[in-house]
Amino acid sequence: MTKTPDSVVRSFIDQHQADFLRDLADWLSIPSVSADPGRSGDVRRSAEWLAAKLGETGFPVAEVWESDGLPAVFAEWPSGDAGAPTVLVYGHHDVQPAAKEDGWDTEPFTPVTIGNRLYARGAADDKGQVFFHTLGLRAHLAATGRTAPAVNLKLLIEGEEESGSPNFGALIRRESERLAADLVIISDTGMWGADTPTVCTGMRGIVDCQVDLFGPDNDIHSGSFGGAVPNPATAAAELAAQLHDADRRVAVPGFYDGVVELTDRERELFARLPFDEAQWLRVAKSHDVQGEAGYTTLERVWARPTAEVNGVWGGYTGPGRKTIVPAEAHLKLSFRLVAGQDAYRIEKLIRSWVADRLPAGVRHEIVFRAHTQPCLTPLDHPALQSTVRAMGRAFEQEILFTREGGSGPSADLQDVLGAPVLFLGISVPSDGWHSVNEKVELDLLRKGVEAAAYLWGDLAENFRPAEAADLTAAADSH
């Protein structure tokens, strides 16, 4: 296999690292807080800054894309090689709100380097991880002598991720032809730890809803009518109690149909991670673990579907007593999904499950929010192996695997573009995403640059989209 010379890549990074960090600090100084309407101009300024910088990097196409909300950035650099795979890199340039009075030790939008750490809002989530691709690409070109990447490279950098990506689905559907790709790389993720570099192989999807239950037309006297009419608060409690069976499996009929089970290899690799359950409980501020029988804690939160009661309310909750049969009660439910489950099918199952369990005389309404589908890349997928090799060369050690228990816009990209999704990130848990004193470890940021420099050549040599599509389809059918 032809390899980008590691020494040339590292030398190039050494020569250009100072300029790279100055540019990153300039970008981090823009308070692109998408959740604050007063900062919409700064989000636009951030998009325009990035588009200009990508043009300087060499992208022949670098555009600010308008949406029904805040702008995204699109860039494209064709390889020029016949048969080269097309890769789309996703990230976001908006950031969480931050202010010194929140408890920051420094001004959040005045980047400061202390030791080996760069502190600023967005340093890790996600500007730092987006920006390492610029220097990584330049190192790839310098080391190979190419004038264009070894893959057809596209970037889509969203401007509303920290606000829930309300317009992202519509944007990628509108621009699906220009975004067409054989593979999606998400650089909005992290690793297990600095000493345990990992690659994420999947994220769970989500379906969530509110169930509103209605009994009598108004609150009525529990002495005159209680015990003789249906109580919607009791019905809500019964629904919540019936959500799981004795083994903590979700009790909705058909819920597990099609679930892609963990392989023995995946379970063995998860077990090799240095997981401290007691510490995990301290972070969770919980007093014990609980979940589906037969699975470890990591397997439960990464690779198994779940259901949670997010809230139950109804009736009288004020001081003293008010002895009534309440007119209504409510539940909020959420369901995390894994590969093999379809969010829209799960919605139908939930609707039937609720309707079948309510007593006569209790009417109901269910409102679902927008769904997110799960995504998973098999361990033997050639593009994943390219990513692992690139990370392994950068970190000079074995790369292990994780999954994400949460959900994100990656599934939208997978659904609309029909391309597998992979994750390339170098952030660690101590980076403080969404918290005070957010930072990025500079040595890990450099590793991200280096991994990106190696990745494009490896993919060009080893990733054949048609063969990979057959592999993914086979995995999804199991």
Side-chain angles (χ1 to χ4, degrees), residues 212-220 229-233 235 325-329 359-364:
D212 300 313
L213 305 178
F214 306 97
D217 292 340
N218 49 258
D219 295 348
I220 55 177
V229 297
N231 186 319
V325 175
E328 58 186 66
V362 173
R363 298 174 293 107
H364 76 284

Side-chain angles (χ1 to χ4, degrees), residues 32 52 95 125 141 202 215 299 307 316 370 390 399-400 451:
S32 49
V95 299
D125 181 25
L141 297 175
E299 290 169 354
Y316 180 69
I399 305 300
L400 295 177

Side-chain angles (χ1 to χ4, degrees), residues 26-156:
D26 188 29
W27 194 23
L28 292 170
S29 299
I30 302 174
S32 49
V33 180
S34 60
D36 182 355
R39 293 292 190 186
S40 60
D42 291 314
V43 179
R44 179 168 298 279
R45 187 158 59 96
S46 170
E48 292 170 347
W49 184 98
L50 178 59
K53 189 58 62 175
L54 292 175
E56 291 177 18
T57 300
F59 281 88
V61 174
E63 303 170 350
V64 175
W65 274 5
E66 302 299 336
S67 73
D68 289 338
L70 296 169
V73 175
F74 172 76
E76 182 175 14
W77 196 340
S79 166
D81 294 351
T86 299
V87 182
L88 174 69
V89 174
Y90 167 86
H92 63 91
H93 68 93
D94 65 317
V95 299
Q96 283 277 312
K100 180 79 182 302
E101 52 267 30
D102 296 336
W104 285 68
D105 295 331
T106 59
E107 291 290 343
F109 295 105
T110 303
V112 174
T113 299
I114 301 175
N116 191 46
R117 296 171 172 175
L118 173 61
Y119 290 87
R121 175 58 89 221
D125 181 25
D126 181 37
K127 290 179 177 178
Q129 300 201 95
V130 167
F131 203 57
F132 74 57
H133 283 284
T134 61
L135 183 53
L137 177 56
R138 292 170 59 206
H140 161 67
L141 297 175
T144 59
R146 297 182 59 92
T147 57
V151 299
N152 300 309
L153 189 59
K154 301 179 182 182
L155 272 63
L156 177 62

Side-chain angles (χ1 to χ4, degrees), residues 117 191-198 395 397 426-430 439 441 443-444 447:
R117 296 171 172 175
M191 308 187 303
W192 183 269
D195 297 326
T196 310
T198 55
F395 282 87
Q397 66 183 91
I426 48 75
S427 184
V428 290
S430 63
K439 53 85 176 172
E441 302 283 340
D443 57 342
L444 298 184
K447 298 293 187 185

Side-chain angles (χ1 to χ4, degrees), residues 132-428:
F132 74 57
H133 283 284
T134 61
L135 183 53
L137 177 56
R138 292 170 59 206
H140 161 67
L141 297 175
T144 59
R146 297 182 59 92
T147 57
V151 299
N152 300 309
L153 189 59
K154 301 179 182 182
L155 272 63
L156 177 62
I157 312 303
E158 187 189 356
E160 295 184 305
E161 194 274 344
E162 298 292 10
S163 297
S165 302
N167 299 291
F168 186 65
L171 175 66
I172 61 177
R173 285 189 290 273
R174 186 190 81 198
E175 302 290 350
S176 59
E177 289 189 12
R178 295 190 68 187
L179 292 170
D182 301 308
L183 177 70
V184 177
I185 298 285
I186 306 288
S187 283
D188 182 22
T189 186
M191 308 187 303
W192 183 269
D195 297 326
T196 310
T198 55
V199 169
C200 177
T201 61
M203 297 185 76
R204 293 194 294 186
I206 188 170
V207 168
D208 64 314
C209 63
Q210 179 168 317
V211 183
D212 300 313
L213 305 178
F214 306 97
D217 292 340
N218 49 258
D219 295 348
I220 55 177
H221 194 288
S222 66
S224 300
F225 301 101
V229 297
N231 186 319
T234 301
E238 289 173 343
L239 278 178
Q242 294 176 61
L243 194 55
H244 298 90
D245 66 16
D247 290 326
R248 302 300 301 170
R249 285 173 61 87
V250 180
V252 176
F255 185 76
Y256 290 90
D257 292 353
V259 165
V260 176
E261 299 289 342
L262 278 162
T263 66
D264 291 342
R265 174 66 172 156
E266 286 172 314
R267 300 188 83 168
E268 183 268 327
L269 288 170
F270 285 177
R272 289 174 58 189
L273 293 166
F275 177 59
D276 184 336
E277 189 165 83
Q279 173 62 23
W280 181 84
L281 279 171
R282 286 192 290 272
V283 172
K285 302 189 184 303
S286 181
H287 306 289
D288 204 352
V289 295
Q290 179 179 277
E292 184 181 359
Y295 296 91
T296 67
T297 296
L298 287 183
E299 290 169 354
R300 289 167 179 165
V301 298
W302 284 350
R304 297 301 295 168
T306 60
E308 295 296 338
V309 178
N310 307 129
V312 184
W313 70 100
Y316 180 69
T317 58
R321 71 178 187 176
K322 183 180 182 184
T323 53
I324 58 168
V325 175
E328 58 186 66
H330 313 270
L331 302 93
K332 285 186 181 289
L333 306 174
S334 63
F335 300 81
R336 298 283 178 171
L337 312 181
V338 299
Q341 291 178 299
D342 176 75
Y344 296 95
R345 178 178 175 274
I346 295 298
E347 176 185 331
K348 293 178 181 178
L349 295 177
I350 295 165
R351 288 185 181 277
S352 296
W353 178 79
V354 171
D356 291 346
R357 278 154 185 78
L358 293 178
V362 173
R363 298 174 293 107
H364 76 284
E365 297 176 358
I366 306 181
V367 177
F368 284 84
R369 297 203 319 159
H371 303 330
T372 299
Q373 300 281 17
C375 61
L376 176 66
T377 303
L379 291 184
D380 54 353
H381 194 286
L384 177 60
Q385 293 304 310
S386 289
T387 306
V388 170
R389 282 192 293 269
M391 288 280 285
R393 288 170 67 184
F395 282 87
E396 298 183 283
Q397 66 183 91
E398 182 184 16
I399 305 300
L400 295 177
F401 298 91
T402 64
R403 294 192 198 177
E404 289 283 347
S407 309
S410 54
D412 285 329
L413 289 163
Q414 178 180 261
D415 283 351
V416 175
L417 303 183
V421 172
L422 296 177
F423 300 84
L424 177 64
I426 48 75
S427 184
V428 290

